[in-house]
Amino acid sequence: MRSNRGRYQNDEKKQEKKTAKRKYMSYEEVPLEDYRDDEPLPHDITKKFLKMFLILFLSVVAVLALLNIDKLTPDNIAHWFQYDLLGKSEGDGYPTKFSGSIINTGNFDMISGSPVYCSDTTITVLNSNAGKHQEQQHSFAAPFLSVNGGYGIIYNADATGYTIIKRDTTEYTGSVKNKIFSADISANGVYAILTESEEYLSRVTVFRSDNLEKYNYSFADYYMNNVSVSKDGSRAILSGVSARNGGIISVIYILDFSQDNYLQKYEADDTYIYSVRFMDNGNAYAVGSDGCFFININDGSKTDISYGGRDLTAFTLKRNQGLMLSLSANPDGRDCDLISFDADGNKDFEVKTGEKIISLDMRKSDRAILASDRITVFDHDGKRRASAEADPDSRKIIFCENDMFYVLGKSRISCLTAG
């Protein structure tokens, strides 16, 4: 026992000597200034690291900016910050039910690459995952939507109210003095509103992007019903109708906002014009009940496009591409021929589909149709190269990117990819 105790005492003494030699830190006894390391890092290490990180970060940003220079608009930057970075509205994916009880097919379009619709109750812009860039209630009894690039205008037909939107914001809500017949907006925010007039049959008023009036023109001999503004907001094409010798006569006006008189004027007997549209290259189209008209603005020429005894069943006017028609020789609209014309008035596509076409659209060299419950994509040679099943109640398709389509149904909007 004694020897063990002696060994324990010797061990304790050795441990005390070791502990006495070891340096340790007590947070209760050591002053704060002594907490520092004896050999701190050089002061310039942190600065050098931050400088290298900043240079690397700026280099990456510069490369991304150069690769996406055409997309670096204030709207897109704001959109990226709000939706991609902050995740403002992610959405639950397509298909998605739309707000309201009905959407007219003309009130379903694309704005800045996103689907936009105007129902009987709301104006809504969706993102790629069915989240909402924006949604607002409206009180328009007869809303109509027209989109050009990043701008859209919604007007209340046969009333006086209208709203200007972008993808993420409502830019302006206002009204005019007289009832609205039609309205359109340019890619830079200049817009035209065609209305009734106290002194004349109709009048068009053009507003700058800051909503101040810049131009107006009155029509004494025709009831004007359609207007389209050029991409740069400097001109407009309008159509109207009047009676002559027991029949109807349609008129097309080309207006230049820098001139007091009209630039060009054309008349067409026994036809009613459904729609007019300025192309992005400065030319224009008018679609009528018995034929179409291509107008070369530079030389003032008008080219008639005949339906060849067939009935027009559907059409689309793409500002960046041209005109596309569905024509049928059958009273019930079966066995449609699909024809398209480019922005210079040249026919660039024709094929017999054998289908009853409900809706149609085009993108670059591809042409797409909705027939019954199927979307079919044709290549530039008229061959069927892709397809997708759609809901039986589908009413309109919009060609997006690659073979992706947004599809409007009776109660919901779908996103389909043809393969």
Side-chain angles (χ1 to χ4, degrees):
M1 293 293 294
R2 289 182 179 177
S3 68
N4 288 338
R5 180 179 300 175
R7 187 173 68 244
Y8 293 153
Q9 289 176 347
N10 291 334
D11 290 343
E12 289 176 356
K13 290 179 180 180
K14 291 179 181 179
Q15 184 67 27
E16 287 176 357
K17 290 181 180 180
K18 290 181 179 179
T19 303
K21 293 180 180 180
R22 183 177 17 175
K23 292 183 180 180
Y24 64 92
M25 182 179 293
S26 170
Y27 288 93
E28 294 180 355
E29 299 174 359
V30 179
L32 289 175
E33 57 269 19
D34 291 339
Y35 289 169
R36 296 172 303 196
D37 292 338
D38 293 337
E39 297 179 357
L41 292 172
H43 293 293
D44 60 345
I45 290 294
T46 301
K47 293 181 180 180
K48 288 181 178 179
F49 174 77
L50 291 175
K51 186 176 180 180
M52 291 176 62
F53 176 79
L54 182 60
I55 292 173
L56 180 61
F57 175 77
L58 292 177
S59 299
V60 172
V61 170
V63 171
L64 291 175
L66 288 173
L67 293 175
N68 298 274
I69 190 67
D70 58 328
K71 300 178 181 179
L72 293 179
T73 64
D75 287 341
N76 285 339
I77 293 173
H79 173 266
W80 172 82
F81 181 79
Q82 294 178 35
Y83 295 95
D84 296 333
L85 185 62
L86 299 182
K88 183 177 178 180
S89 178
E90 295 182 354
D92 297 321
Y94 292 94
T96 182
K97 290 186 176 180
F98 57 73
S99 302
S101 59
I102 188 171
I103 302 173
N104 294 329
T105 55
N107 289 342
F108 180 54
D109 210 326
M110 297 284 287
I111 184 169
S112 294
S114 297
V116 56
Y117 67 83
C118 181
S119 71
D120 54 335
T121 60
T122 65
I123 302 166
T124 308
V125 183
L126 301 174
N127 65 19
S128 60
N129 201 37
K132 295 176 181 177
H133 290 309
Q134 66 165 308
E135 181 173 69
Q136 60 168 303
Q137 300 288 321
H138 71 76
S139 58
F140 296 166
F144 284 82
L145 167 69
S146 182
V147 176
N148 195 342
Y151 279 96
I153 183 169
I154 301 94
Y155 61 94
N156 195 7
D158 215 25
T160 61
Y162 68 95
T163 296
I164 307 293
I165 65 168
K166 286 186 175 181
R167 177 177 55 188
D168 304 317
T169 59
T170 297
E171 296 292 295
Y172 182 75
T173 296
S175 63
V176 288
K177 183 179 180 181
N178 298 300
K179 292 182 179 180
I180 300 173
F181 297 139
S182 179
D184 191 38
I185 194 165
S186 72
N188 61 14
V190 174
Y191 58 96
I193 300 181
L194 181 61
T195 66
E196 289 182 336
S197 174
E198 292 89 349
E199 300 86 5
Y200 300 90
L201 296 182
S202 50
R203 173 189 179 98
V204 64
T205 305
V206 180
F207 298 88
R208 304 185 322 197
S209 58
D210 59 5
N211 308 299
L212 297 177
E213 182 177 332
K214 65 173 290 186
Y215 177 86
N216 66 78
Y217 191 92
S218 298
F219 304 89
D221 301 322
Y222 296 89
Y223 292 94
M224 308 304 289
N225 53 14
N226 294 293
V227 62
S228 176
V229 184
S230 63
K231 182 179 181 179
D232 62 1
S234 65
R235 291 175 175 173
I237 178 174
L238 303 98
S239 68
V241 65
S242 186
R244 178 183 293 178
N245 301 325
I248 66 169
I249 180 171
S250 290
V251 67
I252 299 170
Y253 278 91
I254 307 296
L255 300 180
D256 188 310
F257 303 152
S258 65
Q259 301 180 19
D260 294 333
N261 200 6
Y262 60 81
L263 184 65
Q264 295 157 18
K265 177 184 176 182
Y266 311 92
E267 293 182 339
D269 291 325
D270 300 322
T271 190
Y272 183 84
I273 294 177
Y274 298 132
S275 183
V276 294
R277 185 64 54 86
F278 247 108
M279 299 291 103
D280 286 348
N281 68 351
N283 294 323
Y285 277 102
V287 179
S289 57
D290 297 293
C292 296
F293 309 98
F294 170 76
I295 300 171
N296 187 312
I297 303 299
N298 290 329
D299 62 19
S301 63
K302 176 176 72 71
T303 302
D304 295 355
I305 300 172
S306 173
Y307 295 157
R310 297 164 293 183
D311 294 327
L312 178 68
T313 64
F315 70 90
T316 185
L317 286 161
K318 306 285 285 190
R319 299 181 196 264
N320 65 340
Q321 192 154 356
L323 166 68
M324 188 172 174
L325 306 170
S326 170
L327 302 173
S328 174
N330 296 285
D332 61 358
R334 292 180 293 112
D335 297 330
C336 291
D337 298 334
L338 196 61
I339 305 172
S340 69
F341 300 82
D342 65 21
D344 292 314
N346 304 308
K347 184 164 67 174
D348 58 8
F349 182 89
E350 183 170 7
V351 68
K352 293 183 178 296
T353 69
E355 305 278 2
K356 185 176 182 179
I357 296 176
I358 300 170
S359 177
L360 68 175
D361 203 2
M362 57 183 171
R363 181 178 181 271
K364 297 181 179 179
S365 62
D366 290 328
R367 306 292 181 266
I369 63 170
L370 171 66
S372 184
D373 58 353
R374 179 167 292 275
I375 299 171
T376 302
V377 181
F378 297 88
D379 64 18
H380 66 280
D381 294 322
K383 296 180 180 179
R384 299 170 186 254
R385 68 166 190 80
S387 64
E389 291 186 3
D391 292 337
D393 64 357
S394 298
R395 298 185 294 135
K396 183 178 180 178
I397 58 174
I398 297 178
F399 218 144
C400 304
E401 55 187 21
N402 299 324
D403 288 332
M404 188 177 76
F405 296 85
Y406 288 109
V407 185
L408 174 65
K410 287 187 176 179
S411 62
R412 65 181 190 172
I413 295 171
S414 303
C415 183
L416 302 176
T417 299

